[in-house]
Amino acid sequence: GLYAAIGWFKAPKCVIAAMEYVTISASSWALRSDMRFKELLPSATSRRSWSFSVPGSLRCMATGIPFWSGRKAEKPQSRVDSMPMRNSKEESQQAAHGGVRTVVVPAAGMGTRFLPATKTVPKELLPVVDTPGIELIAEEAADLGAERLVIVVAPQKQEIMDHFGEFNVLQKRLLNRGKEEQAEKVSRANELIDAVAVTQESPLGLGHAVGCAEPALDAEEDAVAVMLPDDLVLPIGVMDKMVRVREEFGGSVLCAFNVTPDEVYNYGVFDVEDAERDIEGVEVKKVRGMVEKPAKEEAPSTLVATGRYLLDRAVFDALGRIEPGKGGELQLTDAIELMIQEGHPVHVVVHRGKRHDLGNPGGYIPANVDFGLRDEKYGPALYPALKEILAEFEAEHPEVLEREQQG
C-alpha cells in the first residue's frame, strides 16, 4: 500500500488527470444507466448468503437473493425472516405430515440444447406461448398447496429469481394505460408462491442439486417435493395423487409414464410389482428397483421416471452415502435405489395423461403448439395457420406421407 501511494504521488499530473477523468466518466455513465433502467427492474431486497455442507462434502451456496414475498411486499425481508410462519407447532406438524410445504425446482443447468438463445436467457424463462416454463411449475406447486418454491440456480442464472420479483412501476404504467390483463400477468408470478434461491456452485448432478435444498426446509418437514422444470405433466394434479399414496403407504412416491419398448433406453426404468392394496382413482405400483437407461431387452418394464418426486426426508441421508458417478455427479436415482435396498417403501403413480419435455427444442416446440391451440386468444388463428403449414410441407415432401402410411 505504501509503495502504491508513493507511486501515485510521483505520477505525472497528466496521468492522474486522465485516470480521474476515466473514473468520473465511468461512474457518471453507471449512475445514468442505473437511474434510467432501475425503475423497470423488480424491487430489490437485502442480500444474505451462507454456505453449508452437502452430501459427499461438496459445497453449495444458499442465498436469499433475490427473495420476494408477494404476500409481504411492503417489507423486503431476508430468506430466514421471510419463511412462512405458522400459528403453532401442532399446525406445522399437521401441514408437514398431511401435505407438501416445500417444492424443490432444480434449475442450474446450462441449457446447451437451446443455444444460442440460452447465452443470455435461462432455459427456464423461455415461454410456453407467453408464460415461462418456471412459472407453470410454480403454478403447479401452488395448486398443490405448497408454500415455498426452492429454486436451485447456477451463479450465472439469478435472472430466474428476477421473474418472481415485483415490477411495481411496470404494472402501474400498464394499469394507467388500461392494460389490466397485461398488468395481471406481470404480477402473477410474484403472487403465486414464496420463492427462495439456492445456488449450486458447480453442475454436479440432480442428486447434488436436491441436496443443496435441504437447509431451506423447516425442521419438522418430513417430505419434500421435487419438480423438474423441463417436464410439464398434464393435466395438473398428479402430485395430489402422489400425496395420497404417501399417506397410505408412507415412504417416497414417484411419477411414472408408460412408453414403448423402443423408448426405454432414454429413461430410468422401474422394476415394479402390484401394490399392497388399491387406492381409488390412482394406478399405483410398488417399486422393487430401478435401472438407468437399459437396453430394450434388459428393461424390467416400460414404466419410466418423469420429473415429479415426493421424497421422504431420508433421501438427504441417502445422498450423503452414495458414490459420485461420471463427472463427479451425484444421481438422485442412485439415492432412491439405495433407499429401496434398505427397505424404504417406494411407490409410483402411473400417470396416463400427457407429458411435454421443455428441455430440448424437439419437445419445446410441440408444447407451444399444444398450449397455443388451447389458448383462447391465439388458438382460433393458430389452428388454420398450422393446417396451411402442414399442407404446404406435405406437398413439398410427399415422402413424409408415404413413410407415415407405411409405418
Side-chain angles (χ1 to χ4, degrees), residues 31 51 83 93 136 189 202 210 266 313 318 331 340 348-349:
L31 178 61
S51 62
M83 291 303 182
Q93 290 175 339
L136 296 176
S202 301
V210 172
N266 289 314
R313 192 160 187 154
Q331 298 302 335
I340 294 171
V348 293
V349 169

Side-chain angles (χ1 to χ4, degrees), residues 24 32 98 106 120 129 132 217 232 289 295 299 304 312 324-325 360 377 381-382 395:
I24 293 171
R32 290 197 304 271
T120 54
V129 184
L217 274 64
L232 293 184
V304 302
D312 189 273
N360 65 86
K377 181 177 181 179
L382 180 59

Side-chain angles (χ1 to χ4, degrees), residues 42 47-49 61-68 107-109 120-122 124-125 134 151-165 167 195-201:
R47 290 172 176 253
R48 180 175 182 179
S49 63
M61 181 68 69
T63 103
I65 51 118
F67 174 80
W68 297 278
T120 54
V121 180
E124 294 78 11
L125 293 182
I134 192 74
I151 306 176
V152 183
V153 296
Q156 71 276 15
K157 293 183 68 175
Q158 297 296 336
E159 297 90 345
I160 293 175
M161 298 307 298
D162 291 346
H163 183 71
F164 291 91
F167 292 78
V196 179
V198 174
T199 300
Q200 184 184 24
E201 295 292 341

Side-chain angles (χ1 to χ4, degrees), residues 12 35 42 46 117 119 152 181 228 237 240 250 266 292 318 344 384 398:
M35 293 176 63
S46 58
K119 290 192 302 182
V152 183
E181 182 181 353
L228 304 189
D240 291 296
N266 289 314
E292 188 66 25
H344 179 89

Side-chain angles (χ1 to χ4, degrees), residues 92 105 138 148 210:
S92 292
V105 181
R148 181 185 309 131
V210 172

Side-chain angles (χ1 to χ4, degrees), residues 286-304:
K286 183 176 181 179
V287 181
R288 293 182 298 206
M290 297 182 67
V291 181
E292 188 66 25
K293 298 182 178 180
K296 175 180 177 180
E297 57 275 6
E298 297 174 355
S301 74
T302 55
L303 291 177
V304 302

